Amino acid sequence: MAVLKVKFTKTKRDKLAQLLWILNWISVVTGVILFSLGIYLKVELIKREELMAQRAIQYVPNMLIAVGLIACAINFLGGKICYDCVDSTKFLRWKLILLPYIICTFFFTFCVLAGALMCYSMRGELEESLNQGLAEAMKFYKDTDTPGRCFLKRTVDMLQIEFQCCGNNGYKDWFQIQWISSRYLDMSKKEVVDRLRSNVEGRYLMDGVPFSCCNTFSPRPCIQQHITNNSAHFNYEHQTEILNLWMKGCRQALLEHYTHIMQSIGLTVLITWLFELSVLTGVRFLQTSLENVLKHGDPNSESEGWLLENSLMETARINLNIIKNLGKSDPGVSIQNSSTVNVLFCTVT
């Protein structure tokens, strides 16, 4: 027994073909949207790629770009097919192509779904990439005279100002690294020499942070040096007072920024997938109803359309037998019965 069998008059078939023609052109627009979202995400990632340890996350925007371009091509062809199917005589030129088109489009919709799922699943990989990348950028913050690293100070400062964050996980991360260039250290001062000698790695560590960590909304002047020394500042208590520094770590700030983008893109791609699936379902109904019209021999007659020609269990059993017998048949023998191809389609749908 066919699954989701529907009867179509000639008027209903024509209206379905016209509707699908319009929907396919709308799908071309959605393909452009997917392509644009992929470009937008790629640009956003490239803008801060020096703060990321891995470049592998570029596969997500690359896939969206590819899916968008393929969607435009597939739906353009689908629009042409549906337009010609308004005239049942023109359907003959597409009869042999329509089923492979539906099968290919069906598998393509899973690529769209995969793109949506990737947008939601890349958070962990992105967080690890940001964690390592920011740690490296902070490590080379002081190397303003080193080729290939001289831009990192400006990059980190602009990041902390724009996203109102400080450090990797927090402002105390700056206490663990030497972020002041040695060229600005007065080696004639005993305090500086003692501080360098007190550290095993010979780094100049201090309980201070760069100016870009200062909270511009704080009412008091920014305290960015001797942060843990209460006696160094008037009316100051390090343990209890809300510091006039950005409290959020830049890793968390960037992760929230990209997560918001990825969730928005993922939702858009998911809606696109549902739309593509509904259009494909309509094309399947149109294809089966027109094939039944050809069997009747009367283009004005009623015909039935369906998603599956047999029940799910029967379809699975038939296709299992076909797969088992594939290795036993002659490789030079071609499949001539179109109903066998229809059964194969039923498996994937």
Side-chain angles (χ1 to χ4, degrees), residues 69-346:
L69 291 174
I70 296 172
C72 291
I74 286 180
N75 291 303
F76 180 83
L77 177 60
K80 173 61 177 172
I81 292 174
C82 293
Y83 181 81
D84 284 350
C85 285
V86 175
D87 186 351
S88 57
T89 58
K90 291 184 179 180
F91 169 69
L92 290 173
R93 73 175 68 168
W94 299 107
K95 184 177 183 298
L96 296 178
I97 299 176
L98 191 53
L99 184 59
Y101 166 81
I102 292 174
I103 295 174
C104 291
T105 305
F106 178 77
F107 283 112
F108 169 72
T109 58
F110 277 95
C111 293
V112 179
L113 178 61
L117 296 178
M118 284 180 182
C119 291
Y120 289 104
S121 63
M122 70 174 290
R123 177 185 171 92
E125 186 178 355
L126 180 62
E127 182 174 10
E128 180 63 23
S129 178
L130 286 171
N131 187 44
Q132 296 178 18
L134 284 168
E136 285 295 306
M138 291 173 60
K139 178 181 177 182
F140 300 124
Y141 179 88
K142 62 181 175 58
D143 297 339
T144 53
D145 298 326
T146 305
R149 298 177 185 171
C150 54
F151 64 92
L152 284 175
K153 180 183 184 301
R154 181 181 184 278
T155 299
V156 173
D157 282 335
M158 293 304 298
L159 171 70
Q160 294 187 144
I161 293 172
E162 180 181 354
F163 285 88
Q164 299 181 357
C165 59
C166 185
N168 191 344
N169 300 299
Y171 70 92
K172 290 185 179 179
D173 291 340
W174 289 107
F175 298 176
Q176 311 301 320
I177 62 173
Q178 179 181 338
W179 55 271
I180 297 178
S181 176
S182 298
R183 65 182 296 186
Y184 300 115
L185 297 178
D186 187 357
M187 302 304 294
S188 62
K189 290 187 176 181
K190 184 177 183 299
E191 178 189 353
V192 175
V193 175
D194 290 344
R195 191 181 290 270
L196 288 172
R197 289 177 178 175
S198 64
N199 187 274
V200 177
E201 298 179 1
R203 294 179 298 172
Y204 185 82
L205 303 183
M206 56 183 292
D207 56 344
V209 297
F211 77 96
S212 53
C213 283
C214 292
N215 185 343
T216 54
F217 301 103
S218 175
R220 71 180 296 166
C222 183
I223 298 177
Q224 63 180 104
Q225 295 184 9
H226 305 294
I227 294 174
T228 59
N229 187 357
N230 294 333
S231 60
H233 311 284
F234 176 73
N235 193 22
Y236 178 76
E237 181 63 41
H238 168 252
Q239 301 296 334
T240 60
E241 185 166 339
I242 299 177
L243 303 181
N244 51 0
L245 303 174
W246 302 122
M247 294 291 101
K248 183 182 293 185
C250 290
R251 176 181 57 82
Q252 183 63 29
L254 277 176
L255 189 62
E256 290 175 359
H257 171 71
Y258 283 117
T259 298
H260 176 71
I261 293 176
M262 296 306 299
Q263 287 178 347
S264 301
I265 293 177
L267 179 60
T268 304
V269 178
L270 191 60
I271 293 173
T272 301
W273 172 71
L274 293 173
F275 183 75
E276 291 280 353
L277 202 58
S278 64
V279 173
L280 179 61
T281 302
V283 175
R284 173 62 175 168
F285 276 116
L286 181 63
Q287 178 236 345
T288 52
S289 63
L290 286 173
E291 285 190 348
N292 287 328
V293 166
L294 294 180
K295 291 178 182 179
H296 296 158
D298 181 6
N300 296 318
S301 63
E302 286 189 351
S303 63
E304 292 180 337
W306 52 70
L307 285 183
L308 300 178
E309 189 172 0
N310 302 294
S311 65
L312 290 173
M313 293 299 295
E314 182 68 14
T315 300
R317 185 184 65 79
I318 294 173
N319 284 277
L320 184 60
N321 290 333
I322 292 174
I323 294 172
K324 287 181 178 178
N325 294 326
L326 283 177
K328 301 177 183 179
S329 61
D330 259 348
V333 177
S334 61
I335 298 175
Q336 297 179 0
N337 190 346
S338 62
S339 62
T340 305
V341 183
N342 278 324
V343 172
L344 289 173
F345 170 73
C346 293

Side-chain angles (χ1 to χ4, degrees), residues 24-36:
N24 270 286
W25 276 107
I26 295 175
S27 295
V28 172
V29 177
T30 62
V32 174
I33 292 174
L34 289 180
F35 175 80
S36 302

